[in-house]
Amino acid sequence: MVTAPVVAGAANCVKQQAAGEQAEARTAIQTALRAESRTLNISFDNVAMAASDFGGLYHHRPSAMVSPATVEDIARVMRALSRVPNVTVAARGNGHSINGQAQALHGVVIDMRSVKDPSSASISVGKEADGSFYADVGAGRLWIEVLDATLRHPGLPLAPRTWPDYLHLSVGGTLQNAGIGGQTFKHGPQISNVSKLDVITVNGELKSCSPTSNGELFYASLGGLGQFGIITKARILLEPAPQKVRWIRLVYVDFKEFTQDQERLICNRPAAFDYVEGFIVTNNNDAAAGWPQVPLPEGAFFNHRLLPANAGPMLYCLEVAKYYNACDTSTLGQQISGLLRALRFVEGLHFQVDVSYRDFLDRVHTGEPHLRNAGLWDAPHPWVCLFVPRSQIVAFDTLIFKHSKLVSKGVGGPMLVYPMLRSKWDHRTSAVIPEEEVFYLVALLRFSLASPRGPTAERLVEENEEIVRLARAANIHVKYYLPHFNRQADWQDHFGCKWNHFRHLKSKWDPQAVLSPGLSIFSPPATSLFRF
């Protein structure tokens, strides 16, 4: 029998060992960066910001946080740290990762937002020989900053072709994952709309990468979860920006009709709409999860009496948008009416509003103050984002949304369901998606009150894992978007046929597993002087 004092003693030993390892790591890092700290902004004490992220699930305190002013500062830090056995390094953009991706326990976090040098952090528009436009953008810049800069292009307002739903994310952060949203069906993810990268390697070399120059590092870094280098600049493809957007929401009671209409819209060539997404609400008047989440503009009346008798506990909302300019208004209404005529939404539950292009793209940010005031923004966000093959999306709905109690009352935030096309993704990148041409994002974006006002974050993570377990037990082949696992075997399963190539690239570009340790994909070699 193990007595309480013995258990307490063992726990103290673990704590002492961890404290010793942290002190050893801190000393080694301080020694390596001592010369650089005379000219660089390096903090060894004020590092709390780097120990957390938007997800609120992991709190890994680094030994140091670097706030570089230039890209060369980052390179100097990486060269200095290359002399430290098994030091770990993570790049941090706007801190919106959800699984500790931008954290480095006992290591070094580099604040990419601090880069201010115009040659490194500027947003400059250029033109290719074929007449197409691009923007060279510092990786620490936010997408909202990119939008504002390109819209100001003289004579012809411009904008990137595809967007995340939330624009206050860093460019480098989304490119490490994929960058998806309602335009992905049309233009692919953001990583399919990049023609050049600047990447600093683990040895402190700055490499300019493109499909034809350092192509291996270029494609590895896109969707590579920060495992191969630190992206410092990206060349983003642009298109002419419209002036206005007609933003439309349509309500369905039948999931199969909802998805079939979505697929019809994304497979039309040319595309009928410029943006296609969908979400699920509960069939009640719950302010956070039910009918009030649907109407446009906000506050418009949702007449639930129009719902047919066969409406179930969940309703499905198709969300589309059509871009236009002032000169198009005379024919816009007729054009949209023709597009909607073929869709099978509930008659009368059709909402729309006209907004500026910028306001539409920045729509999620407008709700941020309310979430902050309610204490939801700073609470943990145990999100789960899954890719589900088209052939299995109806089975997923039946299993999870109709028959499971896990989401029957909503999840405290949006439940997104919308399709995209595999052919719009560049398969040379590191991103992992299903094999079918049409597949869906299913994202349960929990904005839940922290315990004791709501379930614990650990409980919500368990619910997410249960959803995945149920799906896989039913032979629904889901893939994670924004993945996180604690075992390499799970990472191997996630990457599937890409795993051997991914592991080979890691051994080539970061053999000591220095970069982005927070996702626990690779571990430093066992020969380390100290283990993290």
Side-chain angles (χ1 to χ4, degrees):
M1 179 177 180
V2 180
T3 63
V6 172
V7 173
N12 287 333
C13 287
V14 170
K15 289 181 180 179
Q16 291 171 4
Q17 181 181 0
E21 290 174 347
Q22 182 173 5
E24 191 174 357
R26 180 186 173 99
T27 299
I29 290 168
Q30 286 178 333
T31 300
L33 296 180
R34 184 171 293 124
E36 307 299 337
S37 63
R38 299 189 186 99
T39 54
L40 296 183
N41 185 359
I42 302 175
S43 176
F44 297 101
D45 298 307
N46 187 23
V47 296
M49 180 180 75
S52 62
D53 59 18
F54 182 73
L57 303 176
Y58 297 88
H59 301 278
H60 294 159
R61 186 179 178 87
S63 293
M65 184 170 179
V66 179
S67 299
T70 68
V71 166
E72 175 54 28
D73 290 347
I74 301 173
R76 287 166 55 195
V77 167
M78 295 306 296
R79 288 194 292 268
L81 293 176
S82 67
R83 299 188 292 270
V84 181
N86 283 359
V87 66
T88 56
V89 179
R92 187 183 196 274
N94 207 29
H96 212 273
S97 57
I98 61 172
N99 288 307
Q101 182 174 330
Q103 298 176 31
L105 180 62
H106 306 336
V108 176
V109 170
I110 298 176
D111 179 11
M112 302 299 292
R113 290 285 291 155
S114 71
V115 176
K116 303 299 183 184
D117 175 58
S119 65
S120 307
S122 64
I123 301 172
S124 58
V125 174
K127 197 172 185 180
E128 300 284 11
D130 63 1
S132 61
F133 289 92
Y134 63 83
D136 285 332
V137 181
R141 303 303 294 267
L142 306 184
W143 286 104
I144 186 64
E145 296 171 336
V146 177
L147 175 63
D148 286 340
T150 56
L151 285 178
R152 291 194 297 267
H153 184 262
L156 180 64
L158 300 166
R161 304 191 295 190
T162 188
W163 298 93
D165 287 330
Y166 181 64
L167 301 192
H168 295 252
L169 308 173
S170 69
V171 169
T174 59
L175 295 183
Q176 288 182 3
N177 292 286
I180 60 174
Q183 304 86 1
T184 301
F185 80 94
K186 187 175 181 180
H187 296 296
Q190 291 181 305
I191 57 173
S192 291
N193 291 273
V194 175
S195 63
K196 184 179 177 183
L197 295 174
D198 285 352
V199 178
I200 292 181
T201 69
V202 72
N203 296 320
E205 296 180 77
L206 178 61
K207 291 187 176 291
S208 180
C209 309
S210 71
T212 57
S213 176
N214 293 311
E216 182 182 74
L217 184 58
F218 175 77
Y219 289 114
S221 298
L222 294 171
L225 304 175
Q227 294 298 305
F228 308 108
I230 297 175
I231 298 172
T232 61
K233 184 179 285 189
R235 177 164 291 181
I236 310 296
L237 304 182
L238 304 177
E239 65 178 2
Q243 296 170 334
K244 301 281 285 183
V245 174
R246 179 153 298 176
W247 182 9
I248 301 168
R249 288 177 178 169
L250 310 166
V251 176
Y252 290 71
V253 298
D254 185 282
F255 184 79
K256 191 172 184 180
E257 291 181 350
F258 165 69
T259 54
Q260 286 175 342
D261 280 359
Q262 283 186 313
E263 291 164 22
R264 182 181 296 112
L265 292 177
I266 72 165
C267 292
N268 279 348
R269 291 292 175 268
F273 289 99
D274 299 287
Y275 163 101
V276 175
E277 284 196 14
F279 60 93
I280 299 178
V281 297
T282 56
N283 187 6
N284 54 45
N285 63 355
D286 183 89
W291 307 324
Q293 292 297 310
V294 176
L296 290 173
E298 186 178 352
F301 177 61
F302 184 102
N303 188 355
H304 67 276
R305 294 180 179 85
L306 297 175
L307 293 169
N310 66 336
M314 296 291 182
L315 301 176
Y316 310 99
C317 184
L318 172 60
E319 184 173 51
V320 296
K322 186 73 174 175
Y323 301 162
Y324 67 96
N325 295 313
C327 59
D328 303 325
T329 53
S330 60
T331 60
L332 181 68
Q334 184 177 358
Q335 182 183 8
I336 289 178
S337 294
L339 294 172
L340 299 185
R341 198 171 295 124
L343 304 180
R344 292 164 290 178
F345 58 93
V346 177
E347 187 174 354
L349 294 181
H350 165 199
F351 305 88
Q352 68 179 41
V353 67
D354 290 280
V355 296
S356 73
Y357 179 63
R358 187 192 187 280
D359 285 349
F360 173 72
L361 292 179
D362 200 32
R363 62 197 179 278
V364 175
H365 183 60
T366 60
E368 185 176 325
H370 168 73
L371 294 170
R372 288 187 181 277
N373 291 337
L376 295 172
W377 193 264
D378 295 321
H381 298 95
W383 290 3
V384 60
C385 303
L386 304 171
F387 289 141
V388 183
R390 171 192 175 275
S391 64
Q392 298 170 331
I393 191 64
V394 173
F396 187 95
D397 168 68
T398 301
L399 179 69
I400 302 301
F401 293 115
K402 285 189 171 68
H403 293 157
S404 169
K405 294 182 179 180
L406 294 169
V407 297
S408 60
K409 296 181 180 180
V411 296
M415 298 187 288
L416 305 181
V417 179
Y418 63 87
M420 51 197 79
L421 300 172
R422 180 178 172 84
S423 57
K424 295 294 183 178
W425 293 61
D426 191 321
H427 307 302
R428 292 169 291 185
T429 69
S430 295
V432 177
I433 58 177
E435 294 294 326
E436 294 185 13
E437 168 62 5
V438 177
F439 62 95
Y440 282 76
L441 174 74
V442 176
L444 307 181
L445 308 182
R446 302 180 188 270
F447 282 81
S448 300
L449 291 170
S451 179
R453 298 171 66 191
T456 65
E458 291 78 10
R459 175 57 189 156
L460 297 177
V461 169
E462 289 173 0
E463 290 185 3
N464 292 340
E465 292 172 348
E466 178 67 5
I467 287 169
V468 174
R469 189 195 66 77
L470 289 171
R472 289 178 170 168
N475 291 318
I476 299 173
H477 303 297
V478 299
K479 286 285 186 184
Y480 279 91
Y481 178 59
L482 309 178
H484 183 271
F485 307 103
N486 294 315
R487 301 187 312 143
Q488 194 175 84
D490 293 324
W491 282 109
Q492 183 173 349
D493 179 68
H494 169 74
F495 280 102
C497 63
K498 282 191 171 185
W499 172 250
N500 287 336
H501 183 59
F502 191 84
R503 184 174 57 179
H504 164 73
L505 293 173
K506 184 68 172 180
S507 67
K508 177 176 180 178
W509 293 104
D510 183 18
Q512 300 301 312
V514 169
L515 296 168
S516 295
L519 292 180
S520 303
I521 305 177
F522 299 97
S523 299
T527 54
S528 166
L529 294 181
F530 46 84
R531 297 298 304 278
F532 298 141

